[in-house]
């Protein structure tokens, strides 16, 4: 709120906004250390770096300097978070779903191929932060995107079409793969404009994957069946429609103000609908209490 209000004092706004990610990183590290869950340490590291990128952004903004570098750092760290967390929960929840339905659930566990995909993604993200217009960066992004597409296909998401609560995880990771490909293409000078390409990650992958986790966690932790009803499906459709309009809308020739307004209405409408539907679930006692 302090960041959104034009009349708020800049220093308190910076301290509040920067303090959030610092506090979040501290909580994550506390849990990692207390539980000796050292395999989760990369998540703590990425969130800590995200906090540093945010602090750098504010420092440069207060000086009136360009903020492109910390912005790319933040987007690159989103890519890594989605690669790490999405790559862990998507096959896990898919396997659970297939087991419940009596379908073959022998999905590939974390393998050398997953490690290669993560490594390629890390290299591509680093290159994009350091030299966003280099040819090498473009080809690294495309290589990481292709590797992510193959990784996604190995999880057999098409078998989950009857349960949107699981399918949306594959859609979110699909947006990540697409984002890597089209950001790479934009870097090499073909396909979408760089600004539109980046939105495949920020509105598409982040939007879809955020709702995938929010809805599933909200249902599970309030004692409800982990199944998507019609309103939940509407949330998924709205957030993906908003992303599609924002990323590809310019190719259909709509006026920019109409296009951006429709994209914003659909994407933000998904969050409004989530608040209306899931808000009452979250403020009442869990059904199993």
């Amino acid at each position: 709120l302090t960041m959104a209000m034009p009349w708020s004092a800049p220093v308190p706004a910076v301290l509040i906004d920067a303090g959030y990610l610092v506090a979040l990183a501290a909580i994550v590290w506390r849990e990692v250390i207390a539980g000796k869950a050292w395999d989760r340490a990369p998540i703590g590291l990425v969130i800590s770096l995200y906090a540093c990128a945010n602090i750098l952004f504010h420092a440069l903004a207060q000086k009136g300097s360009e903020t492109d570098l910390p912005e790319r750092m933040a987007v690159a760290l989103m890519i890594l978070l989605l690669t790490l967390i999405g790559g862990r929960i998507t096959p896990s929840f898919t396997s659970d779903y297939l087991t419940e339905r009596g379908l073959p659930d022998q999905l590939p566990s974390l393998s050398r191929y997953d490690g290669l995909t993560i490594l390629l993604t890390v290299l591509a993200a680093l290159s994009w932060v350091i030299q966003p217009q280099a040819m090498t960066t473009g080809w690294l992004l495309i290589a990481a995107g292709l590797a992510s597409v193959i990784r996604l296909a190995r999880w057999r998401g098409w078998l989950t079409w009857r349960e949107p609560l699981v399918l949306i995880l594959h859609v979110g990771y699909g947006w990540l793969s697409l984002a890597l490909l089209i950001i790479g293409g934009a870097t090499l000078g073909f396909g979408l404009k760089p600004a539109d390409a980046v939105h495949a990650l920020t509105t598409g992958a982040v939007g879809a994957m955020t709702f995938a986790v929010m809805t599933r966690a909200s249902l599970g932790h309030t004692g409800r069946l982990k199944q998507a009803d019609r309103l939940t499906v509407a949330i998924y459709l709205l957030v993906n429609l908003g992303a599609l309009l924002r990323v590809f809308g310019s190719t259909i020739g709509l006026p920019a103000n109409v296009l951006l307004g429709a994209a914003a209405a659909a994407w933000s409408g998904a969050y409004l609908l989530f608040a209306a539907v899931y808000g009452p679930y979250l403020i009442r006692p869990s059904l199993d209490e």
Side-chain angles (χ1 to χ4, degrees), residues 125-198:
L126 282 174
S127 183
W128 186 64
V129 171
I130 297 170
Q131 44 184 7
Q133 299 177 343
M135 296 285 286
T136 303
T137 298
W139 289 116
L140 278 172
L141 286 165
I142 289 176
L146 291 173
S148 294
V149 169
I150 297 171
R151 188 187 191 199
L152 176 63
R154 296 169 78 229
W155 299 332
R156 296 184 290 173
W158 58 87
L159 296 176
T160 67
W161 67 274
R162 291 181 181 274
E163 182 44 72
L165 198 69
V166 182
L167 180 61
I168 189 64
L169 290 164
H170 296 265
V171 173
Y173 201 89
W175 270 111
L176 171 63
S177 305
L178 178 63
L180 291 169
L181 290 171
I182 62 178
I183 294 173
T187 303
L188 295 174
F190 60 85
L192 299 176
K193 297 178 181 178
D196 293 332
V198 169

Side-chain angles (χ1 to χ4, degrees), residues 217-228:
S218 297
L219 291 172
H221 290 296
T222 59
R224 290 169 170 81
L225 290 177
K226 294 177 184 176
Q227 294 178 351

Side-chain angles (χ1 to χ4, degrees), residues 202-204 206-208 211 238-243 262-272:
T202 53
T203 63
V206 173
F211 275 120
L238 280 171
V239 75
N240 280 284
L241 175 61
W267 204 82
S268 301
Y271 280 92
L272 182 62

Side-chain angles (χ1 to χ4, degrees), residues 62 88 195:
Q62 291 302 308
R88 178 186 290 270

Side-chain angles (χ1 to χ4, degrees), residues 53 56-72:
L56 178 59
F57 169 85
H58 285 298
L60 292 174
Q62 291 302 308
K63 292 168 55 178
S65 304
E66 292 291 332
T67 57
D68 291 352
L69 176 61
E71 288 169 3
R72 286 197 307 276

Side-chain angles (χ1 to χ4, degrees), residues 7 13-14 26 33 37 50 69 75 87 89 96 105 122 124 131-132 138 140 152 165 177 191 193 197 219 268 278:
W7 58 82
V14 168
I33 294 170
Y50 194 72
L69 176 61
V75 172
I89 65 175
D96 292 344
D105 63 340
V122 169
Q131 44 184 7
L140 278 172
L152 176 63
L165 198 69
S177 305
K193 297 178 181 178
L219 291 172
S268 301
Y278 283 83

Side-chain angles (χ1 to χ4, degrees), residues 2 4-10:
T2 57
M5 293 175 181
W7 58 82
S8 63

